[in-house]
Amino acid sequence: MALITLRRNFYRLSDVWINRALAALKNQPINHVHKVVKEHLCPWFCSLQPEPFRVRFHHACCKKFHSENGNDLHPVGEPLFSQVHDWDRLEQNLKNEDEQIFYRRLNSFTSSEEVLSFISTLETLSDAMAAGALQRICEVGKKDDNQRLPKGILENSIFQALCFRFEHELSHLSNTSLVTVLQALILLSMDPQSSLLLNLVAECQNRLKRGGLEVHNLCILGESLIRLQGPSCVTLEPIIYQLQGEKLETFTPEDIVSLYRILQACTDKVDQHQIFLNKINNFSLSLVSSLSPKLISQMLTALVVLNQTQALPLVIKLGKYVERHIPQFTDEELVKVLEAFIYFGHSDRFFTKALEQHVAALCLTLDPEVVSKVMEYCGRKQILSKPIFNAVAETFVCQSEKFSPSQISELIEPFGKLNYLPPNASALFRKLENVLFTHFNYFPPKTLLKLLHSCSLIECHPVNFMAKIFSPFFLQRLQGEQSYLDRLNLAQLTQLFLTSVLECPFYKGPKLLPKYQVRSFITLCCSLETPMDFQLYQSVKTALIDLLGARLYFASKVLTPYCYTIDVEIKLDEDGFVLPFTVDEDVHKRVALCIDGPKRFCSNSTHLLGREAIKQRHLRLLGYQVVQIPYHEIEMLKSRLEVVKYLQRKLFSQNTGVHW
């Protein structure tokens, strides 16, 4: 093991003191040695430790001290005691405890200056300790997210001594020390063409070719080379090949996640490594319980980047452990977790409960990106969590200036999508209106349209902005460089225009030109209406035929002149008689049956979604008699006859004179 001398003019004990101490040790039994050593010899830490602790004798250092001073009381390599085996065991125990103390002290420092000051007091450092010290300098030395160390640290003589010795004693470094030094220097964004880095990489490549690197070292080397040379690094393939030949049982959880990160950088070769990925995914199931929050976040991120949609069992198991660690995640890690759950479509009521507690307690201190991502997750999974929504609404009212336009859009949209007004709705939308007035031009056109459309779903109509979004200037911005407007955007514009006509008759501004209006709100990509549930429709259709006497008396999937599609339409004349659906004359009333399946409600709820609520609201304003047939009421009926009686009550309870 290479020993790096940092200060050659270190404080030296007198020869007399050394002789006296060794003579005393000679005459003591072996079980008394440890006590004497603790009381008299302090080569490293006694002057540094703020409180008393047990001192350890470093035999290797003592041998070097003797040889440097020409004191041959005991020749190098000759045992001081007759019990050679006992002494070697004692020496190893003392060395291990010295290292433990060293690393404890090292991890307690919060600045590079403290680390350098600490190691400057040491006579010698093993290569592992020196590498650990360099790594700690890198961890704590960055200021304000700057990847480079301050100039004062780079010019520090101790830091330069570390780098100098690493460069000139590469062949003596252990594998772990070698890759640790390489990793630390790359994290500091050192010049890739510097002689130190080039020599480190060359030495690593030589040892890789000889097959002498262990699993952990291979993982560190792989990630370091990706950071230094990019995913196209030619050395990466041999590293992955060697890792494929290792037994996964020998990998630690940290190594498995590191392996995911290496493969994550090679997304263009996912198909090539898919068999290996399948093995890793299956093996990782057994490691989930031992992963830290940071590792869970990194594993989920890698699964997303690698598009491991077939690894849903692993995602589900990770989700069960995520809920336990939510308070321990950093804001950035929690964002990654939420992005992964959105990507894989995963949701869990226990995770939602833990998220509610976390957001409700810390919402005012959470990063805006976390707040908006939580709302995006709720919106995507249609989870109406009133504790989350209320806390987020309060946060936006108090701290709206912290949110970017895209974050504001992600924050507000779920309120409209899930048809929910928080207790402070008036303050929330007044604050939103002020933000839009002040920063209107900073919002991307599509983001702005989506935001205003969401407000209209819950009857918070953006009347003060309708003139702007119906103007040719805005429509041109919305179109951008494309030759046509996106169909979803046209549908949103059309519904906003319909809202201005039906719900805001006082609006007298510009109208939306017919060429920008759609004929139907059902689109192939993202519809403004939820398609009818087929099985639920079949149950209702059969009962309607029994009730009305023939299929002739109702129509299905009727497209109205107002862009909405009615699930089932029934026509009545002035006397309340049901007319055949083919008749257009003498129609006095139209009944619109909304056959609402589970997808028209918030998740695990009977709360109607915003797009269905606005549809039913508009149909009523257009003169339809809207009859809602929700799935949860139909599911309670046990027979066909019960369904018929249920529909009779729904359709004709207020028209006792009706005949069919």
Side-chain angles (χ1 to χ4, degrees), residues 8 13 80 94 133 157 161 218 283 305 317 355 375 380 384 468 506 551 558 585 588 608 623 645:
R8 297 200 177 275
L13 301 174
L80 292 176
L94 295 176
S157 59
L218 286 169
F283 177 74
V305 175
K317 191 166 185 179
L355 198 61
M375 291 300 287
R380 292 283 190 94
L384 178 56
K468 291 185 177 181
F506 48 85
R551 178 68 178 81
V558 179
E585 298 83 11
H588 178 70
L608 207 61
K645 291 181 178 180

Side-chain angles (χ1 to χ4, degrees), residues 10 91 114 117 227 309 331 416 443 512 593 597 614:
F10 190 75
E91 178 188 15
E114 289 179 333
S117 175
R227 192 179 281 268
T309 52
D331 287 347
F443 282 78
L512 183 66
L593 269 67
I614 193 175

Side-chain angles (χ1 to χ4, degrees), residues 412-421 429 449-462 466 488 491-492 495-496 499 503-504 521 527-529 564 607-618:
I412 296 296
E413 284 173 41
F415 286 97
K417 182 175 182 178
L418 304 187
N419 187 29
Y420 179 69
L421 285 172
F429 289 98
L449 176 59
K450 192 163 50 173
L451 174 61
L452 297 179
H453 177 260
S454 299
C455 294
S456 71
L457 297 180
I458 43 177
E459 300 183 83
C460 296
H461 306 302
M466 285 182 176
L488 176 60
Q492 291 169 334
Q495 194 166 50
L496 274 170
T499 297
E503 300 188 72
C504 309
F521 289 138
S527 177
L528 297 188
E529 295 185 59
Y564 291 110
H607 190 86
L608 207 61
L609 293 175
R611 60 187 175 191
E612 302 304 323
I614 193 175
K615 173 182 176 178
Q616 294 184 16
R617 197 165 68 239
H618 283 181

